[in-house]
Amino acid sequence: MSVLSTKEIMEIIPHRQPFLLIDTVEEWEPGVRAVAKKCVSYNEPFFGGHFPGEPVMPGVLIVEALAQTGAVAILGMEQNRGKTAYFAGINAAKFKQKVVPGDVLMLETEIIKQKGPIGVGKAVARVNDKLVCSAELTFAVS
């Protein structure tokens, strides 16, 4: 298990600001799982319009942050270095509570199935150990 900085994350996945939605990777087992952290700041560009006067992190961006976490796990494998993991499906996504400025979003994606370039990750996001989102994410590596 390793801890990765933002710079090290960007050596594994192709995402860049303003669309890099994870700050650090706290735990990392290439090909198996990753746990990342996102410190949600009021200065996030999406808060200006979602929603004025009541900033809430869009659920689709929470799912994207989970996917980026999974991408670190799968693209961290030596045979996948330099490749991209694309969304191929989102199943059973559930949102349990709002994510707001000041929250520390803990993101965990475990690779539960992989056959060739296609795989599935079981993903959960938590704030203060409370579940905020869960989903099953299908990806294609190319």
Side-chain angles (χ1 to χ4, degrees), residues 4-6 9 17 20-25 37-40:
L4 303 174
S5 67
T6 302
I9 293 166
Q17 296 297 342
L20 180 63
L21 297 175
I22 55 179
D23 297 327
T24 60
V25 172
K37 179 168 50 173
K38 168 68 175 166
C39 296
V40 182

Side-chain angles (χ1 to χ4, degrees), residues 1-139:
M1 288 193 199
S2 302
V3 176
L4 303 174
S5 67
T6 302
K7 180 181 176 194
E8 292 167 314
I9 293 166
M10 291 190 306
E11 292 172 0
I12 297 170
I13 64 175
H15 303 79
R16 298 295 181 264
Q17 296 297 342
F19 210 68
L20 180 63
L21 297 175
I22 55 179
D23 297 327
T24 60
V25 172
E26 304 295 308
E27 298 177 31
W28 180 49
E29 297 174 68
V32 178
R33 69 189 277 272
V35 177
K37 179 168 50 173
K38 168 68 175 166
C39 296
V40 182
S41 162
Y42 188 78
N43 294 324
E44 306 289 346
F46 48 81
F47 281 140
H50 196 269
F51 298 101
E54 185 189 354
V56 175
M57 185 172 183
V60 68
L61 294 183
I62 297 169
V63 172
E64 174 62 27
L66 286 165
Q68 290 179 19
T69 302
V72 169
I74 206 67
L75 298 177
M77 298 171 64
E78 195 59 42
Q79 66 267 31
N80 291 333
R81 289 291 179 123
K83 295 182 179 179
T84 300
Y86 296 97
F87 257 132
I90 303 168
N91 295 309
K94 294 186 174 137
F95 301 93
K96 301 292 186 179
Q97 72 179 46
K98 295 187 286 187
V99 175
V100 298
D103 283 346
V104 176
L105 193 57
M106 296 303 298
L107 307 143
E108 180 176 358
T109 303
E110 176 185 2
I111 307 306
I112 58 172
K113 191 182 333 178
Q114 186 174 10
K115 185 172 183 179
I118 305 298
V120 177
K122 177 182 172 188
V124 294
R126 293 181 174 87
V127 171
N128 295 324
D129 291 323
K130 290 183 182 175
L131 183 68
V132 297
C133 176
S134 62
E136 186 177 273
L137 309 175
T138 303
F139 60 86

